[in-house]
Structure formats: structure tokens, C-alpha cells
Amino acid sequence: MNISTPLNEAAVRKLKVGDAVEITGVVFTGRDAVHKYLAKGGELPAGVSLTGGIIYHCGPVVIKDDAGNWKVTAAGPTTSIREEPYQGDIIKKFGVRAVIGKGGMADRTLAACREAGAVYLHAIGGAAQVLAEHITKVRNVYFLEKFGSPEAIWELDVVNFPAVVTMDANGNSLHTEVFERSQAELAKRL
Amino acid sequence: MNTWQDSIVELIRRTSAEIPDDVQRAILAALEREKKGTIAASAMKIIEHNIALAKQKSQPICQDTGSVLFYVDCPAGFDQIAFTEAARAAVKAATQKGYLRQNSVDSLTGKNDGTNLGPGAPTLHFHQHKDAGVTVRLMLKGGGCENVGAQYSLPDEGIKADRDLAGCRKAILDAVLQAQGKGCGPGVLGVCIGGDRATGYEFSKTQLLRRLDDRNPVQELDKLEQDILNTANELGIGPMGFGGKTTLLGVKITTANRVPASYFVSISYMCWAYRRQGARFDATGKILDWLY
Ligand code: SF4
């Protein structure tokens, strides 16, 4: 299923746990420093709007080519659960419609997804090379000086970026489902 | 030591960009096993594609190029100090070339000086052997999978594990359950039963130097390895924890003697981006052949 930014609430609410999606449009990277900053009242840099937007938990490897243009050479997801204390508030405050990461998130984020109409999209952990191929352009970078390259906000064009809905806007989490099912299967085998 | 340095840079490049054949085969088998059209199958497809792309571009398979762990078997009289210097210079050079990410942080100040050098970085383990040649193995151990490693002290009431092989089985399977897909599964377990806490973890890591297709010469351990592998793959955790048939690609178990008062089960988890390679070297540091 193809989705593109900006995402609207109705489309996001239709996404279900287990749906494979391909994302086209703009995503903003953000990890620990950005989440802490925004959750503690920090303002988005001028020119950045997350309304209907996507945050990608990723610290990309970005180089400047000979012509002086930024190029992403590796861009896999980083573990999302570290942002659990902040993510729910950020989704609600800035109108974020999707978060991409790996490993899934917990109850507060799931509740915020349900309340505000947002989803968690799981990318393939470790697939740095494949995912970098789906990033076609670096549009801009913010907070590069303030937070350093991996922690900066990179505004990226993506085309058919693959991910799986693992937490939807209806309160379902694939992570919870798989955990409970595997726990029950294990109990039968002990 | 320049030949040594160049050879080790090549060892690092190859380890970071090319998955060993035995792991590649296990990943292809897993892809075959997953039901077509499922998200588990598409995850395995992306993983397979990523492995091919990294090799073709000579770029890191995963951007987390991990803790850099060297295991060196060398004869008596081998200059370990000179080797250590060459290895450190090679790590720095490999980082400049982009085979390693700037991935090493001072734990006190939080600073990353971009060299990948510091206390314990890289880590070198030397073992003396009777052979005249030198064998160097390298493992790049990612952080996400290291974080889901676990050490159990038996008896463990929480999981009803006693001090016997059945208890070890419960502990290892509990670690698989807790890890879910968070260590970028399908993964491989290295396990040590016994030892003190440090030795237990060390031995569990060196189990990851074994080839995936070997068999444990100790019959009870071989049985336990196969049992854990099969049972884990029946749990339905699957690639990335998406659900599916392949939760683990392999299980390797060893033992270390313990004092009567302790009974540890130490589990190291290796992600699908299983980066280990090794080579035999001549006395000047030239690579003779590859191990995996
Ligand atoms: S666990 Fe392995 S594959 Fe996943 S991000 Fe870490 S190093 Fe990469």
C-alpha cells in the first residue's frame, strides 16, 4: 500500500497493524536530542512543520559530495523505545501522523496514536543500504551545529520507503500481539 | 608492521561489508521458509537485498558497525604489543575509509572523537597456540542485539528454572521471548552455562565464532542447541518480531566450570547482520586464506 505525505487523519486511521506500506514524500529524522528538546518546550526550527508529517528515528550517515550536495549513504532505523517518554506528547502537540523506527513503542505512544490519529511504522532494522536507496534527496538540515550530525533534523525526500504498520490508530500493537502469542506458545513447550 | 596494518584494514572491510557464507546460506533458507506474501517474507527479502548491496558497494551492511572485537591465535614469541598497535592504526584507518562508523563514545564525558579508539576499543583477545602461523578473527558486535543479551542466575524463581539442563533451557528460551525482534532478528544465540559472570559472557561471545553449520561435539549440548533452535522457531516471533517462522538462525552453547555457589547462564544475541570474519596470516602479516 502506498502512502504519501502530508498524511491526513482519515487515511491514517484506516491503516491496520500488519499492513506493509511504501512511503513517498518528506520525512524528518529525529532521535534522542530532538525528542528531549521538543518535549521540554523547544520550538521547531523556522521552516519545519510536522503537521501531517512523519518523524523517522534515524541517525543517518550523510556525506557531502564533490559538488557540495548532501548525500545519505546509510539510513537504518534506530531503537524507538528510548523516545517513549516524549513521543506521545510530540505526536499530539505537533500533529505528527506517523513515526518510523524499530523495535516498537509502548502504551503512552499507543494511546497518543489512538487519540490523535497516528501510526507507528516499523522499518527493517540494519537494512542501512537498502533504506538509503529509497532516500532520493536531502532537502535541508536543521540543528546541525546544536546537536551534531546523527542527532540533527534531516529533511529527506523518500520514494517507496518500505515499512510495516506495527501500531495503529485503533489501539492495536503487533508487538503486544506477537509477545502474547509467543508467550503462550512457549508455555506449551516448557 | 605496515603489512599487518593493511591486512587488518582489509579484514575490517570484509567483515563490515560482506556477510560470511554460512550466515548467507542460513538467511536464504529462512527466506525460503517464510510464507510468500507475508511481512516476514518481505522483511527477509529486504535483508537479503541489503546484504547484496553492501557487498557490491563495499559499504557497511548495517550502520551500527558495533564493538570491534579481535581474537588472535599466535605462536610463542609473537609480538603482541606491535600487533596491538597495528590493529589500532587499522581501526582508525578503516573508520576514515567509512568501513566503520564513528561509533565509540567516552563513557565518562560522552565525547566521540571519531577514531573508534579508547579503553576497550578495540578489544583484543590473545591466545597462544602451537602452530607457527597467526590466525585473526574479527567480530563487529552491534549495540541493538547486545542490549537484548541476558544473564540468568539459577535457580530463578520467576521462570521456575532449577540448576539443571532443563533450567538452562528455560532461561535461554526466556531470553528469546524477552528479546522478541528487538535485536534485529532472526538472530543467533551464543550461550555459556557456568563460569563467573565475566567468563560466562566472554565464552558466550566466542561461541559466535563457530560456523553456523557446525555441530556441537558434546552430545547433550548438541541436543540442547537443536532443541532451542526448533522450539524458538515454533514461537512465531519471526523476522523483526513481525511474526513468522524464523526467530533464530542458530544456537551455539558451551560450558565453563563454576564454583558450587554460582550457576550462571549467559546469553549473547547476534543480529542477522552477523559480521564475523577471520584469516590466517604469514609471519609478515600477509593474508594467506580466509576462514569463513
Ligand atoms: S542489532 Fe544489528 S542489525 Fe540491528 S541495528 Fe544493531 S547492528 Fe544493525
Side-chain angles (χ1 to χ4, degrees):
Chain A
M1 178 181 318
N2 293 303
I3 60 173
S4 42
T5 62
L7 298 165
N8 68 56
E9 180 171 356
V12 167
R13 286 207 182 268
K14 277 198 207 112
L15 293 172
K16 285 194 308 292
V17 148
D19 286 346
V21 295
E22 294 194 352
I23 307 149
T24 297
V26 180
V27 304
F28 295 89
T29 68
R31 42 187 293 170
D32 310 72
V34 168
H35 281 80
K36 187 167 163 221
Y37 166 84
L38 292 178
K40 300 256 147 94
E43 300 278 335
L44 282 172
V48 174
S49 165
L50 292 176
T51 310
I54 300 181
I55 294 180
Y56 181 20
H57 295 157
C58 169
V61 180
V62 191
I63 55 161
K64 244 190 188 146
D65 67 14
D66 297 336
N69 299 315
W70 293 111
K71 196 173 162 13
V72 174
T73 61
T78 187
T79 302
S80 298
I81 195 70
R82 295 195 306 268
E83 317 313 341
E84 180 65 15
Y86 318 119
Q87 197 69 71
D89 291 344
I90 290 174
I91 287 172
K92 286 190 268 183
K93 180 167 173 194
F94 295 100
V96 175
R97 291 275 173 230
V99 173
I100 310 172
K102 72 157 173 148
M105 301 188 76
D107 295 351
R108 282 176 63 183
T109 303
L110 190 61
C113 284
R114 181 182 203 154
E115 194 186 321
V119 288
Y120 178 86
L121 304 172
H122 199 301
I124 305 302
Q129 299 300 332
V130 167
L131 297 179
E133 297 249 303
H134 291 278
I135 296 172
T136 49
K137 192 179 155 195
V138 176
R139 295 168 68 101
N140 221 325
V141 57
Y142 308 90
F143 294 153
L144 184 57
E145 306 271 282
K146 193 181 170 96
F147 295 139
S149 175
E151 296 276 346
I153 297 179
W154 293 90
E155 182 180 352
L156 308 171
D157 273 341
V158 298
V159 175
N160 298 335
F161 186 100
V164 172
V165 180
T166 59
M167 292 162 64
D168 65 23
N170 308 310
N172 300 312
S173 162
L174 184 66
H175 307 287
T176 313
E177 280 172 28
V178 172
F179 183 85
E180 284 172 359
R181 204 166 57 219
S182 55
Q183 192 174 35
E185 289 299 323
L186 179 56
K188 291 187 214 158
R189 290 167 174 81
L190 288 180
Chain B
M1 274 278 167
N2 260 345
T3 311
W4 274 108
Q5 189 181 317
D6 294 346
S7 295
I8 299 168
V9 170
E10 173 56 13
L11 173 60
I12 295 171
R13 185 201 66 77
R14 192 153 168 157
T15 312
S16 177
E18 300 178 16
I19 219 102
D21 280 345
D22 56 319
V23 180
Q24 167 89 0
R25 274 200 296 279
I27 285 174
L28 288 177
L31 173 60
E32 285 299 305
R33 202 159 45 227
E34 294 299 341
K35 221 171 110 207
K36 305 275 167 298
T38 58
I39 49 177
S42 72
M44 291 311 298
K45 264 224 102 60
I46 291 175
I47 286 171
E48 185 212 3
H49 184 197
N50 193 77
I51 289 170
L53 209 57
K55 181 170 179 180
Q56 177 205 321
K57 301 207 295 194
S58 218
Q59 291 258 344
I61 293 164
C62 176
Q63 66 200 349
D64 181 359
T65 52
S67 297
V68 180
L69 312 173
F70 287 101
Y71 299 86
V72 184
D73 295 310
C74 51
F78 181 72
D79 189 343
Q80 299 185 4
I81 295 171
F83 180 88
T84 302
E85 277 166 12
R88 290 172 66 89
V91 165
K92 197 170 161 187
T95 309
Q96 275 157 3
K97 286 175 187 284
Y99 304 149
L100 299 175
R101 180 174 73 172
Q102 299 182 356
N103 209 32
S104 184
V105 176
D106 183 310
S107 294
L108 191 57
T109 64
K111 246 191 85 188
N112 180 344
D113 71 4
T115 63
N116 277 326
L117 300 177
T123 297
L124 293 105
H125 301 268
F126 290 98
H127 299 281
Q128 194 180 315
H129 64 183
K130 289 269 189 218
D131 204 271
V134 180
T135 303
V136 183
R137 290 179 172 83
L138 173 62
M139 194 190 308
L140 302 175
K141 182 70 176 63
C145 55
E146 188 68 3
N147 289 346
V148 301
Q151 190 167 57
Y152 293 80
S153 175
L154 304 189
D156 185 321
E157 263 199 287
I159 55 168
K160 300 198 181 67
D162 301 317
R163 289 183 156 196
D164 50 26
L165 271 193
C168 294
R169 179 177 183 270
K170 283 184 182 166
I172 300 165
L173 287 169
D174 186 63
V176 174
L177 176 71
Q178 301 305 331
Q180 293 285 304
K182 289 188 283 242
C184 289
V188 177
L189 302 184
V191 180
C192 176
I193 299 170
D196 62 81
R197 287 189 186 273
T199 318
Y201 265 134
E202 191 194 328
F203 280 30
S204 74
K205 278 255 169 57
T206 51
Q207 283 301 294
L208 297 171
L209 295 173
R210 284 173 54 192
R211 293 179 59 93
L212 274 185
D213 50 12
D214 75 358
R215 293 296 288 258
N216 199 313
V218 182
Q219 213 191 340
E220 296 96 311
L221 295 181
D222 185 59
K223 227 178 106 201
L224 187 59
E225 287 179 0
Q226 303 306 317
D227 172 27
I228 302 266
L229 179 62
N230 294 331
T231 309
N233 286 339
E234 287 166 9
L235 300 183
I237 296 170
M240 291 292 134
F242 288 170
K245 297 195 171 115
T246 316
T247 300
L248 292 181
L249 299 171
V251 181
K252 304 289 164 188
I253 308 176
T254 191
T255 61
N257 274 24
R258 59 184 176 82
V259 294
S262 302
Y263 198 125
F264 295 114
V265 180
S266 310
I267 298 138
S268 288
Y269 190 108
M270 177 63 100
C271 54
W272 67 260
Y274 193 148
R275 285 151 299 168
R276 75 142 138 67
Q277 194 39 274
R280 290 192 313 124
F281 296 75
D282 72 11
T284 68
K286 258 197 19 229
I287 293 172
L288 298 173
D289 51 19
W290 297 97
L291 295 182
Y292 299 104

